[in-house]
């Protein structure tokens, strides 16, 4: 039986408007091949923020097959997107999907570990108005620290999966590995909420989204 949160997520998922063919193809591929992509309801919220804030430059940490990068791109095709991915198979698929479904040449995938790429982007003095963190959950704090250095004066940093199926609360005790990761995410959430330079809200949309802006 579904709990209240699951019922609500299912409801929100079901009332989303019809998706474009490319979205259906990528979501179906991800489901069939167990590729973790963002929950479509969360994606909808992120594209809403992009349409509201019109960032000229977007940075994504964690491309997978390119579903979220392409969703952000279609929400605001004039924005330049830089997306980082380290997994060779994901890189190859994302490159194909981006070549097939991007509307211009504004989506740039940088292959390699983000922990190597991010310091290079800082050295090159790159700035981004919108940063989306969606890679290894155990590294969120490091990603956010790099993101702070890369953030333009105005802008937001989004982190996905900050509730991590409820395991971030410490209340679920049925899965050892999820509990450990949940504890790390909880540490990150506490650190983030108390970061004196940022104002953060955590929204229980999808797997939990943290929205951080500079104070
Ligand atoms: N944002 C994608 C979407 O919603 O379509 C999903 C990204 S998936 C949750 C996380 C991805 O981050 C994986 O493909 C993984 O290989 C990648 N990743 C994890 N740690 C990384 C790192 N340190 N550097 C680069 N990529 C990383």
């Amino acid at each position: 039986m579904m709990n209240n949160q699951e019922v609500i997520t299912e409801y929100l998922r079901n009332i989303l408007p019809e998706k474009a063919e490319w979205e259906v193809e990528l979501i179906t591929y991800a489901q069939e091949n167990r590729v973790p992509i963002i929950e479509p309801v969360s994606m909808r919220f992120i594209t809403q923020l992009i349409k509201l804030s019109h960032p000229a430059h977007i940075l994504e940490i964690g491309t997978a097959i390119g579903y979220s990068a392409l969703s952000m791109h279609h929400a605001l095709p004039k924005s330049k997107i830089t997306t980082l991915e380290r997994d060779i198979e994901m890189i190859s698929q994302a490159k194909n999907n981006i070549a097939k479904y991007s509307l211009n040449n504004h989506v740039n995938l940088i292959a390699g570990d983000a922990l190597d790429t991010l310091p290079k982007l800082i050295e090159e003095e790159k700035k981004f108005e919108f940063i989306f963190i969606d890679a290894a959950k155990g590294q969120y704090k490091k990603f956010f620290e790099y993101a702070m250095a890369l953030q333009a004066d105005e802008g937001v940093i989004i982190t996905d999966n900050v509730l991590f199926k409820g395991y971030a609360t410490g209340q679920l005790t049925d899965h050892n590995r999820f509990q450990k990761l949940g504890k790390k995410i909880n540490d990150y959430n506490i650190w983030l909420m108390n970061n004196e330079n940022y104002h953060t809200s955590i929204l229980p949309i999808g797997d939990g989204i943290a929205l951080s802006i500079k104070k």
Side-chain angles (χ1 to χ4, degrees):
M1 204 170 118
M2 288 200 278
N3 62 33
N4 284 4
Q5 182 63 31
E6 285 163 347
V7 171
I8 290 168
T9 302
E10 184 75 5
Y11 168 72
L12 294 175
R13 212 182 274 141
N14 287 340
I15 60 167
L16 284 175
E18 201 179 328
K19 295 182 185 66
E21 262 179 47
W22 69 265
E23 286 177 276
V24 175
E25 183 191 316
L26 265 54
I27 292 170
T28 307
Y29 178 89
Q31 280 166 351
E32 286 173 357
N33 295 279
R34 295 173 156 257
V35 176
I37 61 166
I38 187 166
E39 162 66 46
V41 175
S42 306
M43 195 66 248
R44 177 89 178 171
F45 176 68
I46 290 176
T47 54
Q48 185 91 352
L49 288 176
I50 286 174
K51 284 171 182 287
L52 266 174
S53 59
H54 293 268
H57 307 91
I58 297 175
L59 173 66
E60 173 180 71
I61 309 173
T63 319
I65 56 172
Y67 165 68
S68 50
L70 282 165
S71 299
M72 294 191 285
H73 169 65
H74 280 256
L76 192 65
K78 68 177 183 195
S79 178
K80 297 236 159 107
I81 301 186
T82 302
T83 180
L84 315 183
E85 178 57 57
R86 69 177 173 190
D87 182 278
I88 289 171
E89 180 56 30
M90 291 294 114
I91 292 166
S92 151
Q93 297 208 30
K95 281 193 169 164
N96 284 340
N97 289 330
I98 291 166
K100 213 162 145 192
Y101 296 122
S102 61
L103 305 167
N104 51 36
N105 59 356
H106 287 182
V107 185
N108 176 31
L109 191 158
I110 304 181
D113 195 313
L115 295 172
D116 299 326
T117 309
L118 292 164
K120 288 187 195 145
L121 295 176
I122 294 170
E123 240 175 70
E124 292 164 13
E125 300 187 2
K126 293 276 196 297
K127 292 287 173 195
F128 301 89
E129 293 81 14
F130 196 97
I131 302 179
F132 174 40
I133 300 174
D134 192 20
K137 297 175 206 5
Q139 307 286 347
Y140 273 1
K141 185 165 173 261
K142 277 191 191 156
F143 293 143
F144 195 94
E145 282 168 342
Y146 285 126
M148 289 194 282
L150 287 162
Q151 201 190 14
D153 289 340
E154 296 291 320
V156 300
I157 305 178
I158 300 284
T159 317
D160 193 27
N161 307 109
V162 292
L163 296 178
F164 191 48
K165 310 171 204 293
Y167 287 89
T169 65
Q171 301 292 312
L172 305 178
T173 54
D174 59 337
H175 193 301
N176 199 24
R177 193 169 63 83
F178 285 0
Q179 279 169 252
K180 280 192 185 141
L181 207 42
K183 179 168 180 335
K184 280 194 182 166
I185 294 175
N186 175 51
D187 291 345
Y188 171 71
N189 289 342
I190 306 253
W191 173 80
L192 189 55
M193 293 300 279
N194 291 288
N195 185 319
E196 56 185 25
N197 298 317
Y198 280 79
H199 186 277
T200 295
S201 299
I202 293 183
L203 305 159
I205 299 176
D207 202 22
I209 286 182
L211 199 166
S212 307
I213 53 172
K214 259 187 209 169
K215 276 187 185 163

